[in-house]
Amino acid sequence: MRLISKMSNKTIFVSLCLMLSITACSNNNTAPEEQSSAATVSPSSSAPVNEANNEEKVELTFYYPIAVGGPLTATVEGMAQEFTKQNPNITIKPVYTGSYADTAVKTQAGVQSKNPPDVAVLQSTELFSLLDMDAIIPLDDYIATEGGDTYLSDFYPAFLSNSQTGGKTYSIPFQRSTIVLYYNKDLFQAAGLDPEKAPQTWDEMKDYAKKLTKDGTWGLEIPVSGYAYWMLQTFALQNGNNLMSEDGKKVMFNTPENIEGLQYWSDLAKKDKVIPEGVTEWGTVPSDFLEGKTAMMYHTTGNLSNVKNNAKFNFGVSFLPKNKSYGSPTGGGNMYIFKDIDKKKQDAAWKFIQFMTETERAAQWSMDTGYVAVKKSAYESERMKKYTADFPAALVARDQLEYAAAELSTHNNGKVIKALSDPIQAVLTGSMTPEEALKKAQEEADKALAPFNK
Amino acid sequence: MDNRKLRFHWKANAFAWLLLLPSLLFLFLFTFYPIAQTVKLSLFQADLATAVPVFLGFDNYANLIGDEVFWKVMSNNLWFAIGTVPTSIVLAILMAIYCNKALRGTSLVRISFFYPTMIPMIAVANVWLFIYTPQYGLLSRLMKSIGQGDINWLGSPQYVMWAMVIMVVWKEAGYFMIFFLAGLQNIPPDLYESAQVDGVGRWTVFRKITFPLLMPTTLFVSIVALTNSFKLVDHIMIMTKGGPNNASNLLLYYIYESAFSFWDQGMASTLTVVMIGVLLLFAALNFFGLDKKIHYR
């Protein structure tokens, strides 16, 4: 990973190198870790009590994904070591598990073979799938010992909304984000726009993007592959409503507001020609932005530090433009504790979660990555205050939380997301109209959700 | 006499079976048993909605017939096979003939042709991802330098399959070349010498001698190529995730999606059975069809 930060000047290669090294890392890391976790599960649960300090040694397997650029494995491993230093009886074995999707696959395969990780960072939207598989435990008892509602009230409610259902809390927010607008101030200046003022409304956005589109530079890029539903959610929220019900059993895809939002998005490509046609890759959008191939981009705030470290121009960050209101779905990963493991391990895992989300550490994590610190108190800490005084862009995502809502998460989530993402891609590639697409998406999703509405 | 012969047979057979046992054990454990389990699971509803799998009979298969994505995937796979198999075979033959002839730098030529095969598919996919990137990708720059517009190769449904086919041909042709090279070196040189004495043209030599004698190799390679075209998945994972709108989704990736993104084990098993069926069909074509029409010597 250090190699990457060295190479980061040559940003054309960043995404390529990152991908290559990720594959390399995951090959190196996972195989031995999986073996060792398999080997340690049973002995440690029945291990004799260590008489010296009267406490059992506990070893926790910790799965974590990385979804943004930057040398994060080192950061996470450092945090795990620090935790063991403070809790000598608990050893954390961090296992880097690739993308969110890869992590979900590895975790759930583990759950099905009765060998789950002890604690894992998974996408907050995995909640219903994990519940349907009976894989995780509710954390309410633990939360009660930390002070119950007072404890929870330090977390931003928009982040907790993907953790809770049926009155219970199942996960603790960790690496969380919202989508923000990044823009290139130098290109703004060159196009005669005020570099301190980002577009505020859909109309302004279109207008700005038109002025910024030149030969070799797009006005705006919105990533599609992998996250089409997430980007549609921005338009849906800005136009009034979220896409699903709180219990994860119903979706509202086919509404006039959503059709209008999708129409706006596809018009940017097809009519106004200010964003690339077809499907734009999630990973190439930040490189395009850093290379000046696009003047603005929609992307996760999780990439803020990556952009900050690698941009060779002045850039700004702002709220996504509004229509009826501002709005962005939250995103990112929460920490879950698994069910079929020893109670001792669950207790240790809770301790670890507490450690990882401690106010000061949350602040540091946010500064290292660009993710939003999950606790309000983190923004009151000295180091954070100092950091944001120099770099106010780090506050944009947090401030936008006021308008943020839960990321699309339902029962049968994989299928529902595909039901929505495929037709969106069809619209953006020109083989469907927004009305047709959302009607089809609704039908498919209703079918996928039917068994849960009996 | 008969009795002795029988006993002898029994002894020899028992010894043979004993030698085969370890392999058979693994074959059973890792091939036949999973196949049986898959076939069984394909008759069940086993997804996130059912805590305990429910027996369905052939409902999963019936549902496949009404599944748009399934048909899209099958037709994609067909086009993918049509695009990759003949092209890579023709290319492999040409390369093999060239390699066989090249007197100087033979090993260099062979290595450069075989090189793509040795790179892991994931790495290949990442390299080609860069080649196909719009705006600053290698291909985009090439297009621009000859005054063509920019194409989002992997993001457009009409181009993405072509992009995949070209990449896979590049990767596979070198591998098949090795077989043809071996085939070429098995052809007795006296046939060529007598053809030369008779003053037969080069094309006729190829048509009447080389190609017919390469037929067994061609058959073998075409079966391997066909099954490969149904088994490829890694590049889709890296490059397109089956998109846009399933334009590059292939059968194995759809199985992966069903199993590990929808967590629909029943449907994934059904799709796997379909795939096993397709692969068996290719094998049967080999054994019972074409094989008899080929002269091996």
Side-chain angles (χ1 to χ4, degrees):
Chain A
M1 280 312 197
R2 198 163 294 149
L3 177 78
I4 289 171
S5 56
K6 260 189 202 163
M7 290 195 64
S8 57
N9 294 333
K10 299 180 180 177
T11 32
I12 305 180
F13 298 106
V14 158
S15 71
L16 187 71
C17 296
L18 188 68
M19 281 180 144
L20 284 170
S21 65
I22 280 174
T23 1
C25 289
S26 68
N27 287 342
N28 291 340
N29 283 354
T30 50
E33 296 291 0
E34 269 165 9
Q35 280 169 4
S36 65
S37 76
T40 50
V41 164
S42 42
S44 69
S45 57
S46 59
V49 177
N50 188 338
E51 279 161 310
N53 49 15
N54 226 8
E55 236 186 294
E56 269 184 68
K57 294 254 184 228
V58 179
E59 193 177 277
L60 295 182
T61 308
F62 167 50
Y63 283 9
Y64 70 98
I66 288 176
V68 296
L72 291 191
T73 29
T75 313
V76 172
E77 273 166 20
M79 286 159 96
Q81 273 165 17
E82 180 65 31
F83 177 75
T84 305
K85 224 179 264 171
Q86 291 182 20
N87 302 273
N89 287 316
I90 307 170
T91 316
I92 305 290
K93 305 205 73 182
V95 183
Y96 167 66
T97 37
S99 67
Y100 278 124
D102 297 341
T103 308
V105 169
K106 288 190 177 114
T107 306
Q108 307 227 15
V111 167
Q112 293 193 340
S113 62
K114 302 260 180 278
N115 183 21
D118 302 304
V119 54
V121 174
L122 292 168
Q123 238 177 336
S124 62
T125 52
E126 296 287 334
L127 178 61
F128 293 105
S129 300
L130 289 167
L131 284 178
D132 288 335
M133 287 192 169
D134 200 23
I136 50 170
I137 57 168
L139 304 176
D140 298 270
D141 292 345
Y142 288 120
I143 290 168
T145 64
E146 306 284 337
D149 286 345
T150 349
Y151 167 77
L152 280 185
S153 67
D154 196 11
F155 289 93
Y156 287 99
F159 288 152
L160 280 176
S161 56
N162 276 117
S163 299
Q164 297 170 323
T165 186
K168 283 185 175 159
T169 307
Y170 290 93
S171 61
I172 298 296
F174 175 58
Q175 47 184 38
R176 298 303 301 270
S177 58
T178 67
I179 304 163
V180 290
L181 178 74
Y182 294 82
Y183 65 98
N184 184 326
K185 289 186 179 174
D186 295 0
L187 290 177
F188 266 48
Q189 207 135 34
L193 294 164
D194 178 1
E196 297 312 317
K197 210 176 141 286
Q200 297 292 308
T201 63
W202 287 10
D203 289 339
E204 265 180 39
M205 175 71 129
K206 188 174 280 190
D207 201 41
Y208 277 46
K210 273 183 195 162
K211 287 183 182 149
L212 289 162
T213 303
K214 303 226 162 70
D215 189 35
T217 304
W218 292 104
L220 171 68
E221 278 188 13
I222 300 174
V224 180
S225 73
Y227 290 94
Y229 72 95
W230 207 34
M231 295 297 152
L232 184 72
Q233 253 190 303
T234 66
F235 298 111
L237 287 166
Q238 288 149 17
N239 226 353
N241 283 305
N242 210 342
L243 295 174
M244 73 293 175
S245 65
E246 218 161 278
D247 61 3
K249 291 182 178 175
K250 284 217 161 52
V251 293
M252 295 80 83
F253 292 163
N254 192 14
T255 66
E257 289 82 11
N258 295 345
I259 293 171
E260 193 195 342
L262 185 51
Q263 185 73 54
Y264 173 76
W265 185 2
S266 83
D267 280 354
L268 287 175
K270 302 214 145 317
K271 237 170 71 189
D272 310 311
K273 310 242 178 246
V274 295
I275 63 176
E277 271 196 57
V279 167
T280 317
E281 183 67 31
W282 168 259
T284 59
V285 170
S287 351
D288 285 2
F289 181 70
L290 291 170
E291 279 301 301
K293 300 289 181 187
T294 177
M296 300 186 280
M297 69 165 176
Y298 275 37
H299 222 273
T300 166
T301 185
N303 252 319
L304 184 58
S305 298
N306 181 27
V307 171
K308 185 182 176 223
N309 296 336
N310 296 314
K312 292 182 282 300
F313 49 82
N314 294 312
F315 73 95
V317 179
S318 86
F319 285 13
L320 296 178
K322 67 178 175 180
N323 196 34
K324 282 179 187 155
S325 71
Y326 289 114
S328 164
T330 62
N334 287 1
M335 299 184 85
Y336 299 82
I337 299 179
F338 287 79
K339 197 169 202 173
D340 286 329
I341 60 170
D342 202 62
K343 177 81 170 63
K344 282 254 156 50
K345 287 192 162 201
Q346 289 175 346
D347 293 347
W350 175 254
K351 243 187 197 170
F352 180 57
I353 291 178
Q354 286 319 98
F355 171 87
M356 293 294 270
T357 54
E358 250 169 36
T359 300
E360 292 286 323
R361 197 155 289 104
Q364 188 62 45
W365 174 248
S366 170
M367 283 152 52
D368 288 346
T369 58
Y371 280 116
V372 183
V374 287
K375 279 179 170 170
K376 295 171 191 165
S377 56
Y379 287 91
E380 302 302 320
S381 69
E382 280 309 313
R383 65 175 85 188
M384 195 60 150
K385 275 185 176 159
K386 215 186 259 170
Y387 179 69
T388 51
D390 291 342
F391 186 51
L395 288 173
V396 171
R398 184 206 55 175
D399 294 340
Q400 195 180 226
L401 281 177
E402 194 183 323
Y403 307 97
E407 183 176 1
L408 178 59
S409 169
T410 63
H411 288 279
N412 217 343
N413 206 38
K415 218 158 194 175
V416 169
I417 281 178
K418 189 170 167 78
L420 180 58
S421 292
D422 283 353
I424 293 174
Q425 295 189 349
V427 170
L428 295 173
T429 54
S431 60
M432 265 191 196
T433 66
E435 296 88 57
E436 288 167 353
L438 290 177
K439 184 163 169 281
K440 182 157 179 256
Q442 183 75 43
E443 283 166 5
E444 292 282 318
D446 284 347
K447 227 192 287 171
L449 288 170
F452 299 93
N453 282 306
K454 273 177 191 159
Chain B
M1 184 71 180
D2 268 347
N3 206 8
R4 254 180 67 194
K5 204 175 173 188
L6 210 71
R7 225 172 54 210
F8 173 75
H9 265 271
W10 181 84
K11 248 186 171 171
N13 281 348
F15 188 59
W17 280 111
L18 216 65
L19 287 176
L20 286 173
L21 193 68
S23 317
L24 276 180
L25 192 76
F26 285 109
L27 196 65
F28 179 79
L29 216 68
F30 294 110
T31 305
F32 296 129
Y33 178 70
I35 289 179
Q37 281 294 315
T38 307
V39 172
K40 189 183 143 202
L41 198 58
S42 76
L43 305 175
F44 283 82
Q45 181 187 359
D47 55 19
L48 287 172
T50 50
V52 179
V54 181
F55 184 75
L56 285 179
F58 288 95
D59 278 14
N60 279 339
Y61 294 89
N63 288 340
L64 267 194
I65 293 169
D67 181 0
E68 252 176 71
V69 180
F70 171 70
W71 291 112
K72 176 83 190 152
V73 165
M74 290 308 270
S75 82
N76 280 348
N77 234 324
L78 192 71
W79 285 113
F80 186 65
I82 291 173
T84 53
V85 177
T87 332
S88 52
I89 287 177
V90 170
L91 215 61
I93 293 180
L94 292 178
M95 289 189 327
I97 290 173
Y98 181 71
C99 270
N100 207 23
K101 282 229 178 86
L103 292 174
R104 274 160 200 252
T106 323
S107 50
L108 189 75
V109 170
R110 286 181 193 182
I111 286 173
S112 61
F113 284 161
F114 190 62
Y115 187 63
T117 311
M118 300 193 298
I119 312 171
M121 195 66 199
I122 304 282
V124 167
N126 276 304
V127 170
W128 281 79
L129 194 63
F130 185 60
I131 292 176
Y132 286 137
T133 306
Q135 298 194 63
Y136 49 82
L138 211 58
L139 201 59
S140 268
R141 295 199 167 172
L142 198 74
M143 300 273 289
K144 258 181 227 162
S145 69
I146 54 168
Q148 295 293 313
D150 202 11
I151 292 174
N152 185 354
W153 292 97
L154 300 176
S156 324
Q158 65 268 45
Y159 298 120
V160 65
M161 215 53 188
W162 287 106
M164 292 292 159
V165 165
I166 289 168
M167 182 189 81
V168 169
V169 168
W170 174 84
K171 166 116 179 112
E172 296 259 279
Y175 177 54
F176 300 143
M177 174 197 77
I178 294 293
F179 296 109
F180 284 114
L181 202 54
L184 280 177
Q185 288 176 347
N186 270 337
I187 298 176
D190 44 332
L191 289 177
Y192 289 114
E193 277 159 22
S194 50
Q196 209 176 15
V197 169
D198 292 345
V200 184
R202 267 157 90 191
W203 171 240
T204 318
V205 169
F206 175 78
R207 215 160 40 92
K208 297 277 187 194
I209 300 174
T210 313
F211 190 67
L213 289 176
L214 277 180
M215 260 325 260
T217 317
T218 313
L219 176 75
F220 171 74
V221 167
S222 63
I223 299 291
V224 172
L226 264 176
T227 42
N228 268 2
S229 74
F230 271 77
K231 283 189 332 203
L232 268 173
V233 67
D234 353 28
H235 62 301
I236 298 177
M237 196 92 168
I238 301 288
M239 297 173 80
T240 65
K241 304 255 186 300
N245 190 21
N246 294 312
S248 65
N249 203 345
L250 298 181
L251 187 51
L252 195 55
Y253 187 73
Y254 193 44
I255 293 175
Y256 171 84
E257 267 192 320
S258 301
F260 296 112
S261 149
F262 312 155
W263 300 103
D264 191 342
Q265 314 277 336
M267 196 46 103
S269 302
T270 310
L271 286 164
T272 309
V273 171
V274 170
M275 179 147 119
I276 294 173
V278 170
L279 295 184
L280 277 178
L281 191 75
F282 292 148
L285 275 180
N286 182 14
F287 275 118
F288 305 115
L290 294 167
D291 203 32
K292 292 198 181 106
K293 294 189 183 142
I294 292 171
H295 303 285
Y296 282 93
R297 212 15 54 135

